[in-house]
Amino acid sequence: MLEVKELKKVYSTRLGGNKVEALKNVNFTVEDGEYIAIMGESGSGKTTLLNIIAALDKCTSGKVIINNKDISELKEKDLAEFRRNNLGFVFQEFNLLDTFTVEDNIYLPLVLAGKSYNEMHERLMPIAVKLGIADLLKKYPYEISGGQKQRAAVARAIITNPELILADEPTGALDSKATDELLKIFKEINKTGQTILMVTHSVKAASTASRVLFIKDGEVFHSLYRADNTNEQFYEKINNTLTLLATGGKE
């Protein structure tokens, strides 16, 4: 459902001086229903990659194909509609509006899509119950905890029935209890067939995924599949690969 082909991204510094190659030649595919974590050191290009897949940034060359549609060919006016109809977003800082209730924050993408209140309400209630936030819907973001905010952000991401959820460091601002709750939620919604692509520094978060892509110096350095590994076994394999990454890929 997602194909990234020969993706390059070059940034020019101010006044067109030095050029920085954030992504060099990235190639990978994501099958429908996969749960993939992307890892790498700061500056490796993983957030740039996520932003290009999210159609929030343009690649210099290459293709990002989602459900047979090359998003790099979409015109600016069509990108917002494409994101709204196909992608769900979960961010480290939640990105909830403090002047809106939790309920209205979750409704926002459906409001933008022109859905009726009845349809929005029918979609929300089973999701709110599933995520344990049904009693928080009339509260404001500043009245609830970080874990509750992130669950509200997940509800906002999945209420549109997106083809793909893109998560950027979703556990980064959470304590260990809230992190465990969020990772359990991600696992559960992935079991329903939801495809998830998550950028993370957390080995614990990555160890819940079905595959981990490691980015180094703007390229895919290695790929690890969970196979029959437990979370603990996968955690150890991820740690070992990160050590290789940090030592230049040598034993």
Side-chain angles (χ1 to χ4, degrees):
M1 66 92 61
L2 168 66
E3 188 176 5
V4 176
K5 298 174 68 175
E6 299 176 359
L7 202 67
K8 290 181 69 174
K9 178 64 178 180
V10 179
Y11 291 103
S12 295
T13 55
R14 290 187 69 184
L15 306 177
N18 296 332
K19 293 185 182 298
V20 177
E21 198 170 30
L23 298 173
K24 292 179 181 175
N25 184 34
V26 177
N27 294 275
F28 67 93
T29 59
V30 178
E31 299 298 326
D32 204 18
E34 274 198 284
Y35 177 9
I36 295 179
I38 299 176
M39 302 194 80
E41 296 176 336
S42 294
S44 60
K46 57 189 186 300
T47 296
T48 299
L49 174 61
L50 196 75
N51 286 341
I52 291 172
I53 294 170
L56 297 171
D57 196 359
K58 291 270 191 183
C59 60
T60 303
S61 63
K63 293 178 182 293
V64 174
I65 300 167
I66 300 177
N67 277 349
N68 300 315
K69 186 182 287 289
D70 184 353
I71 65 170
S72 58
E73 293 180 353
L74 289 177
K75 295 179 180 177
E76 205 64 46
K77 62 183 178 62
D78 299 321
L79 282 174
E81 184 179 358
F82 178 83
R83 284 193 294 267
R84 191 168 61 239
N85 293 338
N86 295 276
L87 305 174
F89 301 93
V90 182
F91 302 96
Q92 178 176 343
E93 299 300 332
F94 321 126
N95 285 17
L96 299 176
L97 300 172
D98 271 342
T99 53
F100 283 21
T101 62
V102 169
E103 181 177 36
D104 287 339
N105 268 285
I106 298 169
Y107 282 157
L108 194 55
L110 295 182
V111 171
L112 295 172
K115 302 298 182 183
S116 69
Y117 176 78
N118 286 342
E119 181 179 348
M120 293 192 296
H121 187 70
E122 283 176 15
R123 286 201 200 184
L124 173 60
M125 291 322 296
I127 292 171
V129 170
K130 182 178 180 180
L131 297 183
I133 56 172
D135 59 342
L136 304 175
L137 295 176
K138 300 302 181 185
K139 292 183 177 292
Y140 289 85
Y142 55 81
E143 298 178 304
I144 62 178
S145 71
Q148 291 167 334
K149 287 178 187 177
Q150 197 59 296
R151 278 182 273 157
V154 171
R156 182 183 57 194
I158 65 176
I159 199 168
T160 58
N161 300 316
E163 297 290 339
L164 177 64
I165 286 182
L166 300 171
D168 190 7
E169 299 286 0
T171 63
L174 303 180
D175 61 27
S176 59
K177 181 173 181 289
T179 291
D180 289 343
E181 290 173 352
L182 180 68
L183 294 176
K184 184 180 177 185
I185 287 166
F186 270 24
K187 201 76 174 168
E188 287 174 356
I189 63 175
N190 175 244
K191 283 179 181 175
T192 68
Q194 178 66 63
T195 310
I196 303 173
L197 193 63
M198 171 179 65
V199 162
T200 184
H201 277 103
S202 166
V203 178
K204 183 177 187 177
S207 68
T208 64
S210 56
R211 177 159 52 120
V212 182
L213 293 176
F214 297 89
I215 306 291
K216 182 179 173 67
D217 299 329
E219 296 181 274
V220 176
F221 169 81
H222 189 54
S223 182
L224 266 185
Y225 287 84
R226 164 181 293 280
D228 296 325
N229 289 290
T230 64
N231 280 8
E232 291 74 20
Q233 291 168 330
F234 204 32
Y235 183 104
E236 187 174 348
K237 288 188 173 184
I238 293 166
N239 247 341
N240 291 340
T241 304
L242 287 173
T243 301
L244 280 178
L245 230 69
T247 56
K250 296 175 182 178
E251 297 282 0

